[in-house]
Amino acid sequence: MFPAMTMPPMLDPARHALFLDFDGTLVELQDDPQAVRVATEDLDRLIELQSRLNNAFAVLSGRRIADLDRFLSPLRFAAAGVHGLERREAAGAETVHLAGPSMLDPVREALRMPLAAEPGLRLEDKGTALVVHYRGRPELKVMADRVADEAVRGVADLSVMRGHDIVEIHIAGMDKGRALASFMTQDPFRERVPVYLGDDTTDEFAFAEVARLGGIGVKVGPGESVASHRLAAVDSVHRWLALEPDADGGAN
C-alpha cells in the first residue's frame, strides 16, 4: 500500500539537506542523454540555494559525476554518480570510484552481439555501469530486459535496475539510498533533515532511506512511490525550489 502524496513543504535552508536527482528532476528526459540543458536562471537558483543551505546540497544520479559537472557548470557540488559507485564528498573534493570497470568486461562481451543485431537498442558504457537504452522504442522493452538478464547470468555481484526506457547493469551493493545515508553521516549534512527529489524507480531506494531518517521524499511526475510528497514535473521542481520559507522557518 503506497501512501497518499501531497505537495511538499517549502524548503528550509536553515535545517534541511537537499538531495536532487538529475534526469527527469532537474532536466527533462531526452532521447539523446547528451542533449539536455539546464536553463541559466535555474542554474543560478541552484548556486544561490547551495549557498543558503551552507553546502548541504548534493546531486545523486545514474550519470557519471564528470557528466554532471559539465551540465551544471559553474556549480561545484557534492555528488554521487552511477547510483553511488562514484562519490564526491564535497564541492571541490576528489571523485572516488568504488569499483573498477574491468568487473563488467564479461557483460560487455555478452552484450556485444545482441545489441549489434538490434539497432534500436543502444549501449551507454559508464565504466562502472552499462546501460541499455531503448528510448523512443517502447516495443523493445521486453528485448532489452531479456538481453540484460542473459548478459549477467552466471556473473556474480551484479545488479540489474530498470528505469525510464533503460536497463542498467552495475556492481551490486550500492544504490542512491546508501549514497544518501553516507552523506548524512558527515558535515554539512549531519543533523539536518534530508529532502530528496527524484522521478524514477531507481530513486525509490533514496525515498526509503529518507523515510527511515525522518525526512521528506518528493516523487517527480506520475507513478506509484514510497515518497511522501509529489511534484508534477520538472518545471514544478524549479518553481518549488524558488519558493521562500515563511518568516517562522516555514516547512517541516
Side-chain angles (χ1 to χ4, degrees):
M1 184 72 175
F2 293 89
M5 286 186 279
T6 61
M7 177 79 175
M10 286 183 291
L11 192 66
D12 182 355
R15 65 190 195 90
H16 284 155
L18 179 62
F19 299 90
L20 297 169
D21 173 42
F22 185 71
D23 293 285
T25 299
L26 285 178
V27 295
E28 300 286 357
L29 297 171
Q30 300 286 343
D31 289 344
D32 178 2
Q34 300 306 313
V36 302
R37 295 290 181 271
V38 182
T40 300
E41 60 269 26
D42 295 334
L43 186 55
D44 289 344
R45 183 180 304 113
L46 291 176
I47 293 171
E48 178 186 0
L49 188 54
Q50 180 191 45
S51 175
R52 293 174 59 208
L53 285 159
N54 195 29
N55 291 318
F57 172 98
V59 180
L60 277 54
S61 175
R63 298 257 195 179
R64 294 174 298 179
I65 290 177
D67 290 334
L68 296 173
D69 284 342
R70 179 162 49 87
F71 291 123
L72 292 169
S73 177
L75 179 65
R76 295 165 65 84
F77 52 96
V82 197
H83 304 283
L85 289 170
E86 295 180 357
R87 195 81 55 80
R88 183 167 65 204
E89 304 294 349
E94 180 183 358
T95 296
V96 176
H97 300 265
L98 303 186
S102 62
M103 294 183 68
L104 289 169
D105 283 347
V107 181
R108 289 184 178 90
E109 180 59 27
L111 289 172
R112 184 172 57 82
M113 291 184 63
L115 294 185
E118 177 45 76
L121 298 179
R122 182 172 57 83
L123 179 67
E124 179 187 3
D125 192 333
K126 299 179 181 179
T128 53
L130 302 172
V131 186
V132 178
H133 290 263
Y134 56 93
R135 188 156 293 153
R137 298 288 303 274
E139 73 277 10
L140 294 179
K141 179 185 186 315
V142 172
M143 180 180 289
D145 287 341
R146 185 181 72 248
V147 165
D149 288 340
E150 291 177 353
V152 302
R153 189 169 296 139
V155 184
D157 300 323
L158 296 182
S159 176
V160 178
M161 293 179 24
R162 290 161 172 86
H164 288 315
D165 301 327
I166 66 164
V167 186
E168 179 159 331
I169 302 164
H170 63 253
I171 312 302
M174 182 51 62
D175 56 54
K176 291 181 181 179
R178 296 188 185 194
L180 187 150
S182 178
F183 280 118
M184 290 299 298
T185 65
Q186 54 196 292
D187 294 331
F189 303 93
R190 193 194 332 258
E191 297 183 1
R192 285 175 172 254
V193 177
V195 179
Y196 182 82
L197 279 70
D199 74 304
D200 206 349
T201 55
T202 59
D203 297 302
E204 293 300 315
F205 297 101
F207 291 143
E209 181 62 23
V210 163
R212 187 186 72 82
L213 295 172
I216 300 167
V218 184
K219 168 76 171 177
V220 180
E224 293 184 328
S225 176
V226 299
S228 53
H229 298 79
R230 189 190 299 274
L231 290 168
V234 170
D235 59 349
S236 306
V237 171
H238 290 288
R239 286 196 299 270
W240 178 77
L241 291 173
L243 294 174
E244 296 285 345
D246 296 331
D248 64 358
N252 72 13

